[in-house]
Amino acid sequence: LEDRCLLAIVHVDAANSPGPGTGTAGDPFVSIQDGIDAAMASDDVQVAAGDYFENIAMRDLVDVIGAGAAITKIHGAAITDGVVQFDGVSDAALSGFTITVDTPISGFDRGVVFRGGSDASAQIRRNVITGTQYGVFINGATPTIENNTLVSDSAHPDEQGILINSGSAASTIRN
């Protein structure tokens, strides 16, 4: 993904009040999902530091890049689709975020979910995933997971860092 030409950057900043913004550097979207939805193939969605209270669905050929996991956080609802969902997505990456579930509900606390045949070009890199029962949930997909930190907490006594269901054995997990 780093080798492809950058065609455009869509900007997101939760501090852009009153919003919703247009995605330019001077008038960024306030929602990460709005940035993803507005992005064209091969665009990057640049997300400024801040707290984002939403669940997001990734798209083909769109990279979502946070300002760094220590200062850019996605707080999502506990749903089986995950705070971040890759459903049949390829050639897309998410990096530079802390990903967490705001209100835990056992069995639904999923940080990142890969499914629907998402392949090795669907990637998460340099994220911190915490406050979830399943940090990464993989079902019928073969993503690439690199340089992420999965943090345990006492709210989830049966938590699993990475759950790989059958049909997903070729996933790449590094560091």
Side-chain angles (χ1 to χ4, degrees), residues 21-89:
T22 59
T24 64
D27 186 28
F29 288 116
V30 295
S31 158
I32 298 169
Q33 191 63 57
D34 285 347
I36 294 168
D37 292 346
M40 304 295 285
S42 298
D43 284 355
D44 285 348
V45 177
Q46 294 282 340
V47 181
D51 291 297
Y52 298 85
F53 296 88
E54 61 183 301
N55 293 54
I56 63 172
M58 296 292 293
R59 288 187 35 227
D60 290 338
L61 298 165
V62 175
D63 290 350
V64 179
I65 305 160
I71 56 174
T72 315
K73 299 176 182 172
I74 304 173
H75 307 263
I79 59 174
T80 57
D81 290 338
V83 174
V84 176
Q85 177 190 148
F86 286 78
D87 189 359
V89 173

Side-chain angles (χ1 to χ4, degrees), residues 91-142:
D91 228 3
L94 179 90
S95 63
F97 293 91
T98 290
I99 300 163
T100 190
V101 172
D102 268 348
T103 305
I105 301 172
S106 184
F108 294 93
D109 303 357
R110 297 176 181 179
V112 179
V113 173
F114 291 95
R115 65 177 182 206
S118 292
D119 62 19
S121 66
Q123 305 173 29
I124 58 172
R125 299 184 305 256
R126 296 179 298 280
N127 299 290
V128 174
I129 304 170
T130 186
T132 63
Q133 182 177 3
Y134 304 101
V136 179
F137 189 92
I138 303 169
N139 187 19
T142 56

